C-alpha cells in the first residue's frame, strides 16, 4: 500500500508537457529562446514543446497527427473552412463557454465558428494585416500618388500597365500560400461577399 501511495505521489509531482502545433516554423527560435523560458519560469511544473511544421505542409501534417491521435495539445487553427472541417470531424472542442471568449468581438471569433455562429472552436490570438508593397521609383516616375481608395489602387495599376515600363502587380506563387492567403483568403472575399 505504501509503494502504491509513493508512486501516485511521484506521478502527481511530475511536470506536464504541453505540445503546440504550428505552421510558423520561422518563429521557432523566439519560442525556444524567449516565450517558452518566460512561460515555464512563471508556471513551474508546465513544460512547453513548440513543434512547428513547414507552412505548406502544416494542414496535411496536422490532419495526419489528428487522425493518428498524436497531435499536440494546442494547435494553430487556420481560419474558416479548414478548421471548421476539423471541428465538424470531432477533432476540435467547442470552446464557446470558455470565459476568455468574452474578451473577443464577434468579428474576431467569426473565422473560428460554425456558420451559424453557435459554436466557437478556436481562440483568436492574433490578427494579421496584409497589404501591397509598391515600387516608389515607379510611382515617382509615373506621377502616381499612393492609393487611398480601391478606385485609386485600380487607377494606379491601369496607369502602370498603360505605360508598359513596369509590371502593374506581381505575386510570387512558389510556396502557394501567398496566392491562397493574399488572393483567395484576403482579396477574393471582398468580391464574392463571403469567406
Amino acid at each position: 500500500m505504501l509503494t502504491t501511495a509513493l508512486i501516485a505521489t511521484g506521478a502527481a509531482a511530475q511536470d506536464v508537457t504541453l505540445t503546440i502545433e504550428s505552421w510558423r516554423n520561422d518563429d521557432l527560435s523566439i519560442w525556444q529562446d524567449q516565450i517558452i523560458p518566460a512561460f515555464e519560469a512563471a508556471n513551474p511544473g508546465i513544460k512547453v514543446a513548440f513543434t512547428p511544421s513547414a507552412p505548406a505542409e502544416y494542414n496535411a501534417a496536422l490532419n495526419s497527427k489528428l487522425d493518428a491521435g498524436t497531435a499536440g495539445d494546442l494547435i494553430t487553427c487556420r481560419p474558416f473552412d479548414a478548421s471548421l472541417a476539423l471541428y465538424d470531424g470531432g477533432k476540435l472542442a467547442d470552446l464557446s463557454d470558455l470565459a476568455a471568449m468574452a474578451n473577443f468581438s464577434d468579428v474576431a471569433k467569426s473565422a473560428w465558428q460554425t456558420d451559424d455562429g453557435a459554436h466557437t472552436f478556436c481562440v483568436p490570438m492574433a490578427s494579421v494585416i496584409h497589404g501591397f508593397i509598391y515600387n516608389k521609383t515607379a510611382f515617382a516616375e509615373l506621377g502616381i500618388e499612393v492609393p487611398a481608395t480601391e478606385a485609386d489602387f485600380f487607377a494606379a495599376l491601369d496607369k502602370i500597365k498603360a505605360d508598359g515600363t513596369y509590371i502593374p502587380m506581381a505575386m510570387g506563387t512558389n510556396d502557394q500560400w501567398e496566392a491562397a492567403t493574399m488572393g483567395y483568403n484576403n482579396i477574393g472575399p471582398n468580391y464574392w461577399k463571403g469567406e
Side-chain angles (χ1 to χ4, degrees), residues 155-174:
L157 293 176
D158 288 342
K159 190 168 186 178
I160 294 167
K161 182 178 180 180
D163 175 77
T165 306
Y166 298 97
I167 297 171
M169 186 167 77
M171 184 182 335
T173 58
N174 185 52

Side-chain angles (χ1 to χ4, degrees), residues 18-147:
L18 297 176
T19 301
I20 301 172
E21 303 276 355
S22 175
W23 65 81
R24 296 286 307 173
N25 59 356
D26 48 343
D27 293 343
L28 183 59
S29 63
I30 194 168
W31 277 89
Q32 289 178 333
D33 300 340
Q34 295 178 34
I35 297 171
I36 293 172
F39 178 85
E40 290 178 352
N43 298 279
I46 302 175
K47 299 292 181 192
V48 176
F50 182 69
T51 59
S53 301
E57 299 168 8
Y58 180 69
N59 288 11
L62 177 64
N63 290 342
S64 294
K65 289 178 182 180
L66 287 168
D67 289 343
T70 60
D73 304 291
L74 302 167
I75 68 165
T76 305
C77 296
R78 298 275 196 201
F80 298 108
D81 291 347
S83 292
L84 178 59
L86 294 177
Y87 175 75
D88 287 343
K91 305 295 185 185
L92 299 177
D94 185 352
L95 304 176
S96 303
D97 293 332
L98 189 66
M101 286 299 184
N103 297 321
F104 300 100
S105 70
D106 290 342
V107 171
K109 294 183 283 189
S110 67
W112 299 283
Q113 290 182 322
T114 52
D115 289 339
D116 62 5
H119 305 281
T120 304
F121 42 81
C122 296
V123 178
M125 61 170 236
S127 188
V128 178
I129 297 173
H130 292 99
F132 295 94
I133 299 169
Y134 69 97
N135 182 330
K136 288 185 175 184
T137 302
F139 273 50
E141 287 177 8
L142 300 176
I144 301 172
E145 297 291 325
V146 176

